[in-house]
Amino acid sequence: MNEPSSSSVAEYGPDYEGLEGGQPTVDSFRKVSLIPLVFLVFYEVSGGPFGIEDSVNAAGPLLALIGFLVFPFIWSIPEALVTAEMSTMFPENGGYVVWVSTALGPYWGFQQGWMKWLSGVIDNALYPVLFLDYIKSAIPALEGGYPRMLAVLVLTVLLTYMNYRGLAIVGWMAVFLGVFSLLPFAVMSFAAIPKLKPARWLVVDLHNVNWSLYLNTLFWNLNYWDSISTLAGEVKDPMKTLPKSLFYAVIVVIFGYFIPLLAGTGATKLDRERWTDGYLADVAKMIAGVWLRWWIQGAAALSNMGMFVTEMSSDSFQLLGMAERGMLPECFGRRSKYGTPLVGILFSASGVVLLSWLSFQEIIAAENFLYCFGMLLELVSFIRLRIKYPTARRPYKIPVGTIGAVLLCVPPAVPIFVVLALSSLKVALISLGAVIIGLVLQPGLKYIERKRWVKFSVNSNLPGLEPATNDSTEALVD
């Protein structure tokens, strides 16, 4: 990117002080291309239809199908569009932390980073739990106790090592795992066609709906589109690659949920109580035989590995991006010989181990609560940047004006407030406690920086904002 003038840097606020133009210093490491990036987004958001079973348990087939068909238009597509615009505007690691810092100031940027990192770590604690839920029928010893705890620890160590070895490896691993995870559901859907009874799709009982579980399941399965933004500095030609990857991933995710759910609910008799984590494997057995159940259980295990490594990549590179902006100690910004943020990876892995004792429903509710706060800051920042820097270069821009940008944010804002309102007292208290920690942590880190107890620094090679056209002389002013 072109080097911004000193006047422009001053106008951008304290979050851009001391930054110079130029290319990132990570060019010696392999950048992620389009196909791996599509599957990285896929695993950040979905990983396949594993974990959608609770939607049927909570609300029955009709509402579950409607939810996975309609909710993407309310939530996923607006979030993906905002992510595409903002990631190409700020093509650097840190993603949404950079957006909020530029729009609302470094203090709120740090709060965004804290809440989204903690939400991601809580989310990542879920994948070893899901992995063991899918294989405990084959290995009953893993259902609880010390064997389960040891299995969680071993899985975390192995998958953390894969993150350490490099993002390019993680990306191509995601491609392989994505194909392997979706293929058995394609087979199941074709095998289900002769057994489909459309009347089963229409079953609904509005007097017996667990709205909290239903909405949390939809929300958890269809969010985290913005997580890929924290890897923007590792993407090959991010201006073009990021929007394309989000577009293709939206299609893969929606069909990856809706088609198996359509087949599973239409080809088997309804027993809502059995629709819990791992039940799709039993559905596959009823449709095609035990061989397909084993395949889906294996796919589930590998899919959870894919979700774990991609989520950890996002979380650790977010910490790296924050360190490059002086929000965290310099050690978080140091890379291993493979180009990966070693301290960020170890920090994220420790959080996963500490939180793995939570139940499936508690993990979903807690991470959704924190995620909602972060998304509100993102939506406000998106609108604020449209107003504050209207002429800034946006390689991908949603084709709406300021009013359209505000209207685009209304549909995703509604489920955010609904999810927050439906949270249990326990989840709300724990999550609000985590928010309060962040409010105190940022001034504490600033105090440590002033005392020089730990070294902080700002990367001088981060890109700055550019005018919309190279020949434009219009200043980017408030």
Side-chain angles (χ1 to χ4, degrees), residues 40-63:
L40 284 173
V41 177
F42 169 72
Y43 271 114
E44 293 278 12
V45 176
S46 168
F50 314 104
I52 67 172
E53 296 96 334
D54 276 323
S55 64
V56 179
N57 179 294
L62 181 61
L63 289 181

Side-chain angles (χ1 to χ4, degrees), residues 343-361:
V343 175
I345 288 173
L346 294 176
F347 211 69
S348 299
S350 300
V352 169
V353 172
L354 292 173
L355 293 167
S356 60
W357 57 270
L358 292 170
S359 70
F360 179 82
Q361 286 78 14

Side-chain angles (χ1 to χ4, degrees), residues 285-363:
K285 177 185 175 182
M286 288 183 272
I287 292 174
V290 68
W291 63 273
L292 189 55
R293 182 180 71 173
W294 283 105
W295 189 359
I296 285 182
Q297 286 177 330
L302 293 180
S303 177
N304 282 286
M305 292 181 185
M307 288 186 282
F308 187 100
V309 295
T310 52
E311 179 65 57
M312 183 171 284
S313 293
S314 176
D315 295 341
S316 57
F317 274 101
Q318 177 200 312
L319 296 181
L320 181 145
M322 293 176 70
E324 289 182 334
R325 285 181 163 264
M327 294 182 179
L328 292 176
E330 189 182 69
C331 62
F332 283 90
R334 292 174 184 165
R335 294 174 181 259
S336 70
K337 62 181 179 180
Y338 302 107
T340 50
L342 178 58
V343 175
I345 288 173
L346 294 176
F347 211 69
S348 299
S350 300
V352 169
V353 172
L354 292 173
L355 293 167
S356 60
W357 57 270
L358 292 170
S359 70
F360 179 82
Q361 286 78 14
E362 287 174 330
I363 289 174

Side-chain angles (χ1 to χ4, degrees), residues 257-270:
Y257 284 144
F258 189 74
I259 300 301
L261 190 59
L262 200 67
T265 55
T268 61
K269 292 181 180 180
L270 178 63

Side-chain angles (χ1 to χ4, degrees), residues 426-443:
K426 176 183 177 182
V427 169
L429 290 175
I430 293 174
S431 302
L432 288 173
V435 171
I436 292 172
I437 290 173
L439 296 176
V440 177
L441 186 58
Q442 197 268 355

Side-chain angles (χ1 to χ4, degrees), residues 9 18 101 133 200 204 209 257 265 290 437 441 452 464 472 474:
V9 170
S101 293
D133 281 345
R200 291 171 174 166
V204 62
V209 176
Y257 284 144
T265 55
V290 68
I437 290 173
L441 186 58
R452 297 185 180 181
S472 172
E474 185 178 355

Side-chain angles (χ1 to χ4, degrees), residues 15 81-82 91 101 153 262 300 323:
D15 50 320
L81 288 171
V82 170
S101 293
L153 181 61
L262 200 67

